[in-house]
Amino acid sequence: MASTATARRRVLKRLLPITEWLPGYNVRSLSDDALAAVIVTLMLIPQALAYALLAGVPAVVGLYASMLPLALYTFFGSSTTLSVGPMAVVSLMTASIASRWAAQGSGEYMVVVVALAALSGAMLLVMGLCRLGFFANFLSHPVIAGFISASALMIGVSQLPHLLGVSSSGDTLFAMLAALFKALPETNGTTLALGLVCIVMLLAARRWLEAALTALKLSAGMARFLTRLAPIVTVALATWATWGFGLESRGVEVLGTVASGLPSLSWPDLSFDQAKSLGGSALLISIIGFVEAMSVAQALATKRRERIDPDQELVGLGVANLGSAASGGFPVTGSLSRSVVNHEAGAATPASGLMAAVGVLIAIVTLTPVIAHLPTTVLSAIIIVSILSLLDVHTFVRSWRYYRGDAMAMLVTFVVTLWQGVETGLVTGAALSLMLYLYRTSRPHCAVLGRVPGTEHFRNIDRFEAVETDQNVIIVRIDESLYFANARFLEEKIDSLCAQVKNLKHLVLACQAINMIDASALDSLEEINQRLKESGIAFHLAEVKGPVMDRLKETTFLDNLGGGVHLSVYSAWEELHQG
């Protein structure tokens, strides 16, 4: 009975991490979380409004997507500081996908957006329960960087119509630019001037405000806090100017009447055919959202020496997206900027997210009359400034210097995303990464080894000239696991070596870098062994890892091996070397 109860508690802690930290919650944690929540809420409100417009839904929906998801993540998430809610790239993907099914502003469009959140949440939850967090590793960092950089550029261009006060749209960068060029003559000067002023204010605050406040003898914490308020101040001033000077009459577009109060909780009415049609798109949103959230959560957890559970993060983000769908929101994930602010503000537990959700709730109930006068150009300014940090040139330069294959994968992902859209770009990048991996591992590095005189060490004869060799013994090291893609390559490599050495009696395969041998590779090893036998050459293995040896013992390969299995390369050398 005791063991059963312990097992239940372990399962409960895994599924509900809140049960682990809540018993130790105290007044100090409460005060730290409350302060962090205030700062994050002030940052979240303008971002949520802006990212809702980016997703093609009414601005208030951004606030809906910032309440229940934050609250639910508090119970199911494993990160102390991850701030879940609207995020630029996921919002762009949502708009790009939903626009193919319905026109923005229509009821059908909103149904598709909510369905994407529901499907994404369900997929993440199932993946988490099945412990599939490792799937995020299949997207390489350069591909993600290329995709996000292209998405950031598309996000910036997509906001230019709001900044100019014109109407234009498009699914790809070139379509956006073409439509924008046609609409340029209709530019509203007042809207453009207001938007540019907001951009300058935000950039100046980001670049110089904190240093200026510190120079005025404010504490570092207070200076950082006031700097974080720059978007709120910009929104407030722009709203006041629009209302006070009657800029609406000059063509400045405002949000207009915003529904106040809480959203009604409901579940999207999805047919099987709709779910099947949107499934692939929802999966892409899920993967990108999870990868981004995990990268942020891992980086911040490392600073605090905390542990992030990828499988639990899948569950937490899945439940958060289901909550967003139930409250009429759109797909959400962890935000880099808000999570960093939450971390720097000293959030002690995930409860800071729950408190931030309460802050958004208060804003929905009390601020909607003011939000109605908010000009859309200031939200575009906030988006444009916020995505500047997503343009990642550094990763491309570093990849180009280190391994140009990764740099090319990043570049192709970047170009295809701009040319064909976010879904095609991401799929192309992932496919290219997989192809590069298969190419690299299909032609692995192989080295013929010689003994360093007077030692038990063996090195590549092409790199070390003063090593000992034996014309009767060849020791070959292959620096990769053996599987279907490189099995034939190994056969050709050994055939070539045997043809070069006339008096060869023994060939030793050094296996210290081999972690796995699949069925195709086993067939190749058997073929190699048979050919060597027919040529009068004994085939030996050295330094075979335990799991690999366990599998080989379940076959007849070792029984038919022409040579032996040696504990180390040195022991094989001692036994076979004709000294």
PDB file of all heavy atoms in Angstrom, residues 462-491:
ATOM      1  N   ASP A 462      47.410   9.244 -41.050  1.00  0.00           N
ATOM      2  CA  ASP A 462      47.502  10.422 -41.914  1.00  0.00           C
ATOM      3  C   ASP A 462      47.771  11.697 -41.133  1.00  0.00           C
ATOM      4  O   ASP A 462      48.177  12.711 -41.726  1.00  0.00           O
ATOM      5  CB  ASP A 462      46.212  10.586 -42.727  1.00  0.00           C
ATOM      6  CG  ASP A 462      46.008   9.450 -43.721  1.00  0.00           C
ATOM      7  OD1 ASP A 462      47.030   8.905 -44.190  1.00  0.00           O
ATOM      8  OD2 ASP A 462      44.852   9.113 -44.022  1.00  0.00           O
ATOM      9  N   ARG A 463      47.530  11.671 -39.836  1.00  0.00           N
ATOM     10  CA  ARG A 463      47.761  12.856 -39.001  1.00  0.00           C
ATOM     11  C   ARG A 463      49.035  12.747 -38.166  1.00  0.00           C
ATOM     12  O   ARG A 463      49.603  13.751 -37.764  1.00  0.00           O
ATOM     13  CB  ARG A 463      46.557  13.081 -38.066  1.00  0.00           C
ATOM     14  CG  ARG A 463      45.283  13.490 -38.790  1.00  0.00           C
ATOM     15  CD  ARG A 463      44.137  13.642 -37.796  1.00  0.00           C
ATOM     16  NE  ARG A 463      42.915  14.077 -38.461  1.00  0.00           N
ATOM     17  CZ  ARG A 463      42.550  15.349 -38.632  1.00  0.00           C
ATOM     18  NH1 ARG A 463      43.346  16.315 -38.185  1.00  0.00           N
ATOM     19  NH2 ARG A 463      41.435  15.657 -39.237  1.00  0.00           N
ATOM     20  N   PHE A 464      49.439  11.534 -37.889  1.00  0.00           N
ATOM     21  CA  PHE A 464      50.618  11.314 -37.046  1.00  0.00           C
ATOM     22  C   PHE A 464      51.602  10.440 -37.820  1.00  0.00           C
ATOM     23  O   PHE A 464      51.344   9.262 -38.077  1.00  0.00           O
ATOM     24  CB  PHE A 464      50.235  10.631 -35.724  1.00  0.00           C
ATOM     25  CG  PHE A 464      49.332  11.464 -34.846  1.00  0.00           C
ATOM     26  CD1 PHE A 464      47.962  11.490 -35.066  1.00  0.00           C
ATOM     27  CD2 PHE A 464      49.855  12.229 -33.813  1.00  0.00           C
ATOM     28  CE1 PHE A 464      47.123  12.250 -34.272  1.00  0.00           C
ATOM     29  CE2 PHE A 464      49.022  12.991 -33.015  1.00  0.00           C
ATOM     30  CZ  PHE A 464      47.653  13.009 -33.247  1.00  0.00           C
ATOM     31  N   GLU A 465      52.734  11.015 -38.166  1.00  0.00           N
ATOM     32  CA  GLU A 465      53.703  10.300 -38.999  1.00  0.00           C
ATOM     33  C   GLU A 465      54.510   9.273 -38.210  1.00  0.00           C
ATOM     34  O   GLU A 465      54.928   8.257 -38.760  1.00  0.00           O
ATOM     35  CB  GLU A 465      54.664  11.310 -39.648  1.00  0.00           C
ATOM     36  CG  GLU A 465      53.965  12.264 -40.618  1.00  0.00           C
ATOM     37  CD  GLU A 465      54.944  13.226 -41.254  1.00  0.00           C
ATOM     38  OE1 GLU A 465      56.148  13.171 -40.905  1.00  0.00           O
ATOM     39  OE2 GLU A 465      54.518  14.041 -42.094  1.00  0.00           O
ATOM     40  N   ALA A 466      54.733   9.511 -36.925  1.00  0.00           N
ATOM     41  CA  ALA A 466      55.649   8.667 -36.154  1.00  0.00           C
ATOM     42  C   ALA A 466      54.938   7.517 -35.452  1.00  0.00           C
ATOM     43  O   ALA A 466      55.339   7.108 -34.362  1.00  0.00           O
ATOM     44  CB  ALA A 466      56.400   9.519 -35.131  1.00  0.00           C
ATOM     45  N   VAL A 467      53.874   6.978 -36.034  1.00  0.00           N
ATOM     46  CA  VAL A 467      53.173   5.865 -35.399  1.00  0.00           C
ATOM     47  C   VAL A 467      53.646   4.544 -36.009  1.00  0.00           C
ATOM     48  O   VAL A 467      54.115   4.492 -37.153  1.00  0.00           O
ATOM     49  CB  VAL A 467      51.645   5.999 -35.569  1.00  0.00           C
ATOM     50  CG1 VAL A 467      51.118   7.174 -34.764  1.00  0.00           C
ATOM     51  CG2 VAL A 467      51.259   6.119 -37.033  1.00  0.00           C
ATOM     52  N   GLU A 468      53.516   3.478 -35.221  1.00  0.00           N
ATOM     53  CA  GLU A 468      53.929   2.149 -35.682  1.00  0.00           C
ATOM     54  C   GLU A 468      52.790   1.482 -36.450  1.00  0.00           C
ATOM     55  O   GLU A 468      51.631   1.559 -36.050  1.00  0.00           O
ATOM     56  CB  GLU A 468      54.293   1.266 -34.488  1.00  0.00           C
ATOM     57  CG  GLU A 468      55.476   1.769 -33.674  1.00  0.00           C
ATOM     58  CD  GLU A 468      55.744   0.862 -32.482  1.00  0.00           C
ATOM     59  OE1 GLU A 468      55.155  -0.242 -32.427  1.00  0.00           O
ATOM     60  OE2 GLU A 468      56.533   1.266 -31.610  1.00  0.00           O
ATOM     61  N   THR A 469      53.127   0.825 -37.553  1.00  0.00           N
ATOM     62  CA  THR A 469      52.152   0.059 -38.319  1.00  0.00           C
ATOM     63  C   THR A 469      52.705  -1.334 -38.605  1.00  0.00           C
ATOM     64  O   THR A 469      53.881  -1.603 -38.373  1.00  0.00           O
ATOM     65  CB  THR A 469      51.812   0.757 -39.651  1.00  0.00           C
ATOM     66  OG1 THR A 469      53.017   0.917 -40.407  1.00  0.00           O
ATOM     67  CG2 THR A 469      51.162   2.113 -39.413  1.00  0.00           C
ATOM     68  N   ASP A 470      51.845  -2.208 -39.078  1.00  0.00           N
ATOM     69  CA  ASP A 470      52.240  -3.580 -39.396  1.00  0.00           C
ATOM     70  C   ASP A 470      51.618  -3.928 -40.741  1.00  0.00           C
ATOM     71  O   ASP A 470      50.394  -3.794 -40.921  1.00  0.00           O
ATOM     72  CB  ASP A 470      51.736  -4.534 -38.302  1.00  0.00           C
ATOM     73  CG  ASP A 470      52.249  -5.955 -38.473  1.00  0.00           C
ATOM     74  OD1 ASP A 470      52.464  -6.380 -39.626  1.00  0.00           O
ATOM     75  OD2 ASP A 470      52.428  -6.637 -37.453  1.00  0.00           O
ATOM     76  N   GLN A 471      52.418  -4.377 -41.685  1.00  0.00           N
ATOM     77  CA  GLN A 471      51.905  -4.669 -43.021  1.00  0.00           C
ATOM     78  C   GLN A 471      50.937  -5.852 -43.037  1.00  0.00           C
ATOM     79  O   GLN A 471      50.204  -6.038 -44.009  1.00  0.00           O
ATOM     80  CB  GLN A 471      53.057  -4.954 -43.977  1.00  0.00           C
ATOM     81  CG  GLN A 471      53.886  -6.178 -43.608  1.00  0.00           C
ATOM     82  CD  GLN A 471      54.994  -6.457 -44.608  1.00  0.00           C
ATOM     83  OE1 GLN A 471      55.119  -5.770 -45.624  1.00  0.00           O
ATOM     84  NE2 GLN A 471      55.808  -7.465 -44.334  1.00  0.00           N
ATOM     85  N   ASN A 472      50.939  -6.624 -41.945  1.00  0.00           N
ATOM     86  CA  ASN A 472      50.017  -7.769 -41.870  1.00  0.00           C
ATOM     87  C   ASN A 472      48.698  -7.419 -41.168  1.00  0.00           C
ATOM     88  O   ASN A 472      47.767  -8.216 -41.185  1.00  0.00           O
ATOM     89  CB  ASN A 472      50.673  -8.937 -41.126  1.00  0.00           C
ATOM     90  CG  ASN A 472      51.889  -9.467 -41.863  1.00  0.00           C
ATOM     91  OD1 ASN A 472      51.872  -9.584 -43.089  1.00  0.00           O
ATOM     92  ND2 ASN A 472      52.956  -9.771 -41.127  1.00  0.00           N
ATOM     93  N   VAL A 473      48.654  -6.253 -40.527  1.00  0.00           N
ATOM     94  CA  VAL A 473      47.486  -5.874 -39.716  1.00  0.00           C
ATOM     95  C   VAL A 473      47.038  -4.466 -40.099  1.00  0.00           C
ATOM     96  O   VAL A 473      47.847  -3.538 -40.125  1.00  0.00           O
ATOM     97  CB  VAL A 473      47.807  -5.915 -38.204  1.00  0.00           C
ATOM     98  CG1 VAL A 473      46.559  -5.546 -37.398  1.00  0.00           C
ATOM     99  CG2 VAL A 473      48.338  -7.282 -37.806  1.00  0.00           C
ATOM    100  N   ILE A 474      45.770  -4.315 -40.400  1.00  0.00           N
ATOM    101  CA  ILE A 474      45.177  -2.987 -40.598  1.00  0.00           C
ATOM    102  C   ILE A 474      44.123  -2.777 -39.505  1.00  0.00           C
ATOM    103  O   ILE A 474      43.252  -3.639 -39.301  1.00  0.00           O
ATOM    104  CB  ILE A 474      44.526  -2.848 -41.982  1.00  0.00           C
ATOM    105  CG1 ILE A 474      45.587  -2.798 -43.078  1.00  0.00           C
ATOM    106  CG2 ILE A 474      43.673  -1.571 -42.053  1.00  0.00           C
ATOM    107  CD1 ILE A 474      45.005  -2.618 -44.472  1.00  0.00           C
ATOM    108  N   ILE A 475      44.238  -1.656 -38.829  1.00  0.00           N
ATOM    109  CA  ILE A 475      43.238  -1.287 -37.820  1.00  0.00           C
ATOM    110  C   ILE A 475      42.459  -0.096 -38.377  1.00  0.00           C
ATOM    111  O   ILE A 475      43.022   0.963 -38.650  1.00  0.00           O
ATOM    112  CB  ILE A 475      43.901  -0.911 -36.479  1.00  0.00           C
ATOM    113  CG1 ILE A 475      44.752  -2.069 -35.970  1.00  0.00           C
ATOM    114  CG2 ILE A 475      42.840  -0.527 -35.451  1.00  0.00           C
ATOM    115  CD1 ILE A 475      45.562  -1.738 -34.732  1.00  0.00           C
ATOM    116  N   VAL A 476      41.157  -0.273 -38.553  1.00  0.00           N
ATOM    117  CA  VAL A 476      40.291   0.760 -39.142  1.00  0.00           C
ATOM    118  C   VAL A 476      39.297   1.239 -38.088  1.00  0.00           C
ATOM    119  O   VAL A 476      38.621   0.424 -37.445  1.00  0.00           O
ATOM    120  CB  VAL A 476      39.521   0.219 -40.358  1.00  0.00           C
ATOM    121  CG1 VAL A 476      38.675   1.323 -40.978  1.00  0.00           C
ATOM    122  CG2 VAL A 476      40.473  -0.363 -41.375  1.00  0.00           C
ATOM    123  N   ARG A 477      39.234   2.540 -37.929  1.00  0.00           N
ATOM    124  CA  ARG A 477      38.233   3.125 -37.015  1.00  0.00           C
ATOM    125  C   ARG A 477      37.216   3.900 -37.841  1.00  0.00           C
ATOM    126  O   ARG A 477      37.580   4.740 -38.653  1.00  0.00           O
ATOM    127  CB  ARG A 477      38.896   4.079 -36.022  1.00  0.00           C
ATOM    128  CG  ARG A 477      37.946   4.581 -34.922  1.00  0.00           C
ATOM    129  CD  ARG A 477      38.563   5.732 -34.147  1.00  0.00           C
ATOM    130  NE  ARG A 477      38.641   6.946 -34.951  1.00  0.00           N
ATOM    131  CZ  ARG A 477      39.671   7.784 -34.946  1.00  0.00           C
ATOM    132  NH1 ARG A 477      40.738   7.528 -34.208  1.00  0.00           N
ATOM    133  NH2 ARG A 477      39.663   8.868 -35.708  1.00  0.00           N
ATOM    134  N   ILE A 478      35.937   3.626 -37.643  1.00  0.00           N
ATOM    135  CA  ILE A 478      34.863   4.362 -38.312  1.00  0.00           C
ATOM    136  C   ILE A 478      34.152   5.202 -37.265  1.00  0.00           C
ATOM    137  O   ILE A 478      33.739   4.696 -36.208  1.00  0.00           O
ATOM    138  CB  ILE A 478      33.886   3.413 -39.046  1.00  0.00           C
ATOM    139  CG1 ILE A 478      32.814   4.233 -39.769  1.00  0.00           C
ATOM    140  CG2 ILE A 478      33.276   2.393 -38.109  1.00  0.00           C
ATOM    141  CD1 ILE A 478      32.005   3.432 -40.763  1.00  0.00           C
ATOM    142  N   ASP A 479      34.047   6.494 -37.522  1.00  0.00           N
ATOM    143  CA  ASP A 479      33.545   7.444 -36.514  1.00  0.00           C
ATOM    144  C   ASP A 479      32.060   7.718 -36.694  1.00  0.00           C
ATOM    145  O   ASP A 479      31.618   8.865 -36.859  1.00  0.00           O
ATOM    146  CB  ASP A 479      34.341   8.754 -36.591  1.00  0.00           C
ATOM    147  CG  ASP A 479      35.801   8.551 -36.253  1.00  0.00           C
ATOM    148  OD1 ASP A 479      36.097   7.625 -35.469  1.00  0.00           O
ATOM    149  OD2 ASP A 479      36.653   9.294 -36.771  1.00  0.00           O
ATOM    150  N   GLU A 480      31.279   6.665 -36.657  1.00  0.00           N
ATOM    151  CA  GLU A 480      29.831   6.822 -36.794  1.00  0.00           C
ATOM    152  C   GLU A 480      29.163   5.491 -36.494  1.00  0.00           C
ATOM    153  O   GLU A 480      29.778   4.430 -36.665  1.00  0.00           O
ATOM    154  CB  GLU A 480      29.487   7.262 -38.225  1.00  0.00           C
ATOM    155  CG  GLU A 480      28.018   7.587 -38.474  1.00  0.00           C
ATOM    156  CD  GLU A 480      27.522   8.701 -37.580  1.00  0.00           C
ATOM    157  OE1 GLU A 480      27.966   9.861 -37.747  1.00  0.00           O
ATOM    158  OE2 GLU A 480      26.720   8.392 -36.682  1.00  0.00           O
ATOM    159  N   SER A 481      27.930   5.541 -36.021  1.00  0.00           N
ATOM    160  CA  SER A 481      27.156   4.311 -35.897  1.00  0.00           C
ATOM    161  C   SER A 481      26.902   3.748 -37.279  1.00  0.00           C
ATOM    162  O   SER A 481      26.903   4.468 -38.283  1.00  0.00           O
ATOM    163  CB  SER A 481      25.832   4.595 -35.179  1.00  0.00           C
ATOM    164  OG  SER A 481      26.064   4.939 -33.831  1.00  0.00           O
ATOM    165  N   LEU A 482      26.691   2.447 -37.358  1.00  0.00           N
ATOM    166  CA  LEU A 482      26.488   1.780 -38.647  1.00  0.00           C
ATOM    167  C   LEU A 482      24.996   1.551 -38.870  1.00  0.00           C
ATOM    168  O   LEU A 482      24.319   0.925 -38.044  1.00  0.00           O
ATOM    169  CB  LEU A 482      27.239   0.448 -38.665  1.00  0.00           C
ATOM    170  CG  LEU A 482      28.762   0.544 -38.472  1.00  0.00           C
ATOM    171  CD1 LEU A 482      29.383  -0.847 -38.486  1.00  0.00           C
ATOM    172  CD2 LEU A 482      29.392   1.428 -39.554  1.00  0.00           C
ATOM    173  N   TYR A 483      24.489   2.073 -39.982  1.00  0.00           N
ATOM    174  CA  TYR A 483      23.078   1.883 -40.317  1.00  0.00           C
ATOM    175  C   TYR A 483      22.942   1.863 -41.837  1.00  0.00           C
ATOM    176  O   TYR A 483      23.943   1.919 -42.566  1.00  0.00           O
ATOM    177  CB  TYR A 483      22.212   2.953 -39.660  1.00  0.00           C
ATOM    178  CG  TYR A 483      22.324   4.342 -40.251  1.00  0.00           C
ATOM    179  CD1 TYR A 483      21.218   4.962 -40.818  1.00  0.00           C
ATOM    180  CD2 TYR A 483      23.525   5.051 -40.242  1.00  0.00           C
ATOM    181  CE1 TYR A 483      21.295   6.230 -41.360  1.00  0.00           C
ATOM    182  CE2 TYR A 483      23.606   6.329 -40.771  1.00  0.00           C
ATOM    183  CZ  TYR A 483      22.492   6.907 -41.327  1.00  0.00           C
ATOM    184  OH  TYR A 483      22.585   8.173 -41.865  1.00  0.00           O
ATOM    185  N   PHE A 484      21.701   1.761 -42.301  1.00  0.00           N
ATOM    186  CA  PHE A 484      21.466   1.481 -43.723  1.00  0.00           C
ATOM    187  C   PHE A 484      22.149   2.472 -44.662  1.00  0.00           C
ATOM    188  O   PHE A 484      22.552   2.108 -45.765  1.00  0.00           O
ATOM    189  CB  PHE A 484      19.957   1.457 -44.008  1.00  0.00           C
ATOM    190  CG  PHE A 484      19.268   2.773 -43.787  1.00  0.00           C
ATOM    191  CD1 PHE A 484      19.140   3.688 -44.811  1.00  0.00           C
ATOM    192  CD2 PHE A 484      18.738   3.094 -42.535  1.00  0.00           C
ATOM    193  CE1 PHE A 484      18.499   4.895 -44.624  1.00  0.00           C
ATOM    194  CE2 PHE A 484      18.101   4.305 -42.332  1.00  0.00           C
ATOM    195  CZ  PHE A 484      17.990   5.217 -43.378  1.00  0.00           C
ATOM    196  N   ALA A 485      22.276   3.749 -44.225  1.00  0.00           N
ATOM    197  CA  ALA A 485      22.808   4.765 -45.136  1.00  0.00           C
ATOM    198  C   ALA A 485      24.311   4.656 -45.352  1.00  0.00           C
ATOM    199  O   ALA A 485      24.820   5.120 -46.376  1.00  0.00           O
ATOM    200  CB  ALA A 485      22.452   6.163 -44.620  1.00  0.00           C
ATOM    201  N   ASN A 486      25.044   4.092 -44.389  1.00  0.00           N
ATOM    202  CA  ASN A 486      26.503   4.011 -44.559  1.00  0.00           C
ATOM    203  C   ASN A 486      27.042   2.593 -44.610  1.00  0.00           C
ATOM    204  O   ASN A 486      28.257   2.375 -44.620  1.00  0.00           O
ATOM    205  CB  ASN A 486      27.227   4.803 -43.454  1.00  0.00           C
ATOM    206  CG  ASN A 486      26.891   4.307 -42.063  1.00  0.00           C
ATOM    207  OD1 ASN A 486      26.557   3.146 -41.862  1.00  0.00           O
ATOM    208  ND2 ASN A 486      26.990   5.193 -41.071  1.00  0.00           N
ATOM    209  N   ALA A 487      26.152   1.608 -44.620  1.00  0.00           N
ATOM    210  CA  ALA A 487      26.598   0.214 -44.628  1.00  0.00           C
ATOM    211  C   ALA A 487      27.398  -0.101 -45.888  1.00  0.00           C
ATOM    212  O   ALA A 487      28.474  -0.725 -45.830  1.00  0.00           O
ATOM    213  CB  ALA A 487      25.396  -0.724 -44.508  1.00  0.00           C
ATOM    214  N   ARG A 488      26.892   0.327 -47.031  1.00  0.00           N
ATOM    215  CA  ARG A 488      27.593   0.068 -48.296  1.00  0.00           C
ATOM    216  C   ARG A 488      28.927   0.810 -48.344  1.00  0.00           C
ATOM    217  O   ARG A 488      29.920   0.290 -48.876  1.00  0.00           O
ATOM    218  CB  ARG A 488      26.693   0.505 -49.456  1.00  0.00           C
ATOM    219  CG  ARG A 488      27.292   0.277 -50.834  1.00  0.00           C
ATOM    220  CD  ARG A 488      27.530  -1.189 -51.100  1.00  0.00           C
ATOM    221  NE  ARG A 488      28.152  -1.395 -52.413  1.00  0.00           N
ATOM    222  CZ  ARG A 488      28.713  -2.533 -52.785  1.00  0.00           C
ATOM    223  NH1 ARG A 488      28.710  -3.571 -51.967  1.00  0.00           N
ATOM    224  NH2 ARG A 488      29.256  -2.639 -53.983  1.00  0.00           N
ATOM    225  N   PHE A 489      28.970   1.998 -47.773  1.00  0.00           N
ATOM    226  CA  PHE A 489      30.209   2.780 -47.734  1.00  0.00           C
ATOM    227  C   PHE A 489      31.299   2.021 -46.983  1.00  0.00           C
ATOM    228  O   PHE A 489      32.466   2.002 -47.396  1.00  0.00           O
ATOM    229  CB  PHE A 489      29.947   4.131 -47.068  1.00  0.00           C
ATOM    230  CG  PHE A 489      31.178   4.938 -46.805  1.00  0.00           C
ATOM    231  CD1 PHE A 489      31.766   5.701 -47.808  1.00  0.00           C
ATOM    232  CD2 PHE A 489      31.773   4.947 -45.544  1.00  0.00           C
ATOM    233  CE1 PHE A 489      32.909   6.449 -47.560  1.00  0.00           C
ATOM    234  CE2 PHE A 489      32.915   5.681 -45.295  1.00  0.00           C
ATOM    235  CZ  PHE A 489      33.490   6.441 -46.308  1.00  0.00           C
ATOM    236  N   LEU A 490      30.934   1.377 -45.866  1.00  0.00           N
ATOM    237  CA  LEU A 490      31.916   0.619 -45.093  1.00  0.00           C
ATOM    238  C   LEU A 490      32.454  -0.554 -45.915  1.00  0.00           C
ATOM    239  O   LEU A 490      33.667  -0.829 -45.891  1.00  0.00           O
ATOM    240  CB  LEU A 490      31.274   0.110 -43.793  1.00  0.00           C
ATOM    241  CG  LEU A 490      32.186  -0.714 -42.895  1.00  0.00           C
ATOM    242  CD1 LEU A 490      33.374   0.116 -42.409  1.00  0.00           C
ATOM    243  CD2 LEU A 490      31.410  -1.272 -41.691  1.00  0.00           C
ATOM    244  N   GLU A 491      31.572  -1.226 -46.626  1.00  0.00           N
ATOM    245  CA  GLU A 491      32.035  -2.331 -47.477  1.00  0.00           C
ATOM    246  C   GLU A 491      33.061  -1.837 -48.493  1.00  0.00           C
ATOM    247  O   GLU A 491      34.124  -2.452 -48.683  1.00  0.00           O
ATOM    248  CB  GLU A 491      30.842  -2.945 -48.212  1.00  0.00           C
ATOM    249  CG  GLU A 491      29.866  -3.712 -47.333  1.00  0.00           C
ATOM    250  CD  GLU A 491      28.792  -4.385 -48.156  1.00  0.00           C
ATOM    251  OE1 GLU A 491      29.141  -4.982 -49.192  1.00  0.00           O
ATOM    252  OE2 GLU A 491      27.610  -4.304 -47.775  1.00  0.00           O
TER     253      GLU A 491
END
